[in-house]
Amino acid sequence: MLVPGAGGEIGAALAVRLHSLGARIALAGRDREALTRVSAACEQAPTCTFDAWDVDSCAKTVDWAAAELGGLDGVVVSVGVAAFGPVGEVEDAVSEHLMAANALAPMAFLRAAADRVSEGGVLAAVTGIVAEAAPARMADYAAAKAALATWLTAVRREQRRRGVTVLEINLPHMDTGFAARAVVGEVPPLPRGLAVQEGVDAIVEALSTGARLVRPGSGAALEVVR
């Protein structure tokens, strides 16, 4: 399994969990020091850095992972950035950055993996509840996540005949500090974030059951939809 975004809290926790369950993991991200820490927790799993602005580097990371692992059964992408503010105050360069990190980079990873992953494999990416809710002051961020969600739906239809699962991981606000690292804007009032381990539990369940969607359920629980 290749985990792009393994330097972030969700990606790191997921990689460690998958490793503990016996998966062979390749770790990718932009922060070399963070990847080194996660690698140490995964018995020195191989690591690679990439730049989300450079879709070629995303595709090459898939080639690297397949070579390191001797094949590839799945890719779970957990990369992205947020931004906040009225649409008139969000510069075009910021909008482009959001689309690259939240949509184009995940697409590049999964596009490169689409023909490598064989029957029984999985292509997965984290989107987010903003893709459906489209909150005010998050227009460009929500649009990028919605673009990825739509892309995953189309790819799921393409991959069905090959027996490859395409999983959308539609998470609510998580307790990761992600919003506080927004590229621009002040964080609006947000509900209490869901614990990372709860998100990882749902993702692992979805991966192990061939589910197509993880989404907020009733109350604070996450629902896994097959």
Side-chain angles (χ1 to χ4, degrees), residues 5 25 90 108 113 138 150 162 176 181 200 206:
I25 302 296
V90 176
M138 300 186 202
T150 299
R162 298 185 61 239
T176 63
R181 297 189 291 273
V200 169

Side-chain angles (χ1 to χ4, degrees), residues 75-93:
V75 179
V76 185
V77 186
S78 176
V79 301
V81 295
F84 306 106
V87 66
E89 296 180 8
V90 176
E91 296 181 357
D92 289 338

Side-chain angles (χ1 to χ4, degrees), residues 14-222:
L14 177 62
V16 171
R17 178 74 66 83
L18 291 173
H19 170 75
S20 73
L21 294 172
R24 296 179 60 217
I25 302 296
L27 310 170
R30 65 177 182 175
D31 186 333
R32 191 177 299 277
E33 290 185 5
L35 291 177
T36 298
R37 290 193 296 270
V38 180
S39 175
C42 297
E43 298 184 59
Q44 304 306 316
T47 65
C48 181
T49 57
F50 69 90
D51 184 351
W53 277 99
D54 182 357
V55 292
D56 286 340
S57 76
C58 299
K60 289 176 181 177
T61 300
V62 174
D63 295 336
W64 163 83
E68 286 285 337
L69 299 174
L72 202 57
D73 295 317
V75 179
V76 185
V77 186
S78 176
V79 301
V81 295
F84 306 106
V87 66
E89 296 180 8
V90 176
E91 296 181 357
D92 289 338
V94 172
S95 178
E96 183 180 2
H97 180 63
L98 293 173
M99 190 60 69
N102 294 303
L104 298 180
M107 290 175 189
F109 277 110
L110 299 183
R111 192 191 321 277
D115 292 333
R116 288 184 176 274
V117 174
S118 58
E119 183 175 352
V122 61
L123 304 171
V126 174
T127 57
I129 192 62
V130 294
E132 297 179 7
R137 302 176 66 87
M138 300 186 202
D140 293 272
Y141 175 44
K145 288 294 190 180
L148 177 58
T150 299
W151 188 87
L152 290 169
T153 298
V155 174
R156 182 179 302 116
R157 291 168 178 154
E158 294 178 9
Q159 293 291 321
R160 187 174 295 129
R161 293 180 181 177
R162 298 185 61 239
V164 173
T165 296
V166 177
L167 171 64
E168 178 188 351
I169 305 166
N170 184 341
L171 297 178
H173 173 55
M174 304 294 293
D175 185 18
T176 63
F178 172 76
R181 297 189 291 273
V183 291
V184 296
E186 295 184 5
V187 181
L190 295 170
R192 182 177 179 180
L194 190 70
V196 170
Q197 291 305 325
E198 290 187 50
V200 169
D201 288 345
I203 295 169
V204 170
E205 179 185 345
L207 292 172
S208 63
T209 59
R212 61 181 176 85
L213 179 64
V214 173
R215 66 185 180 191
S218 58
L222 289 170

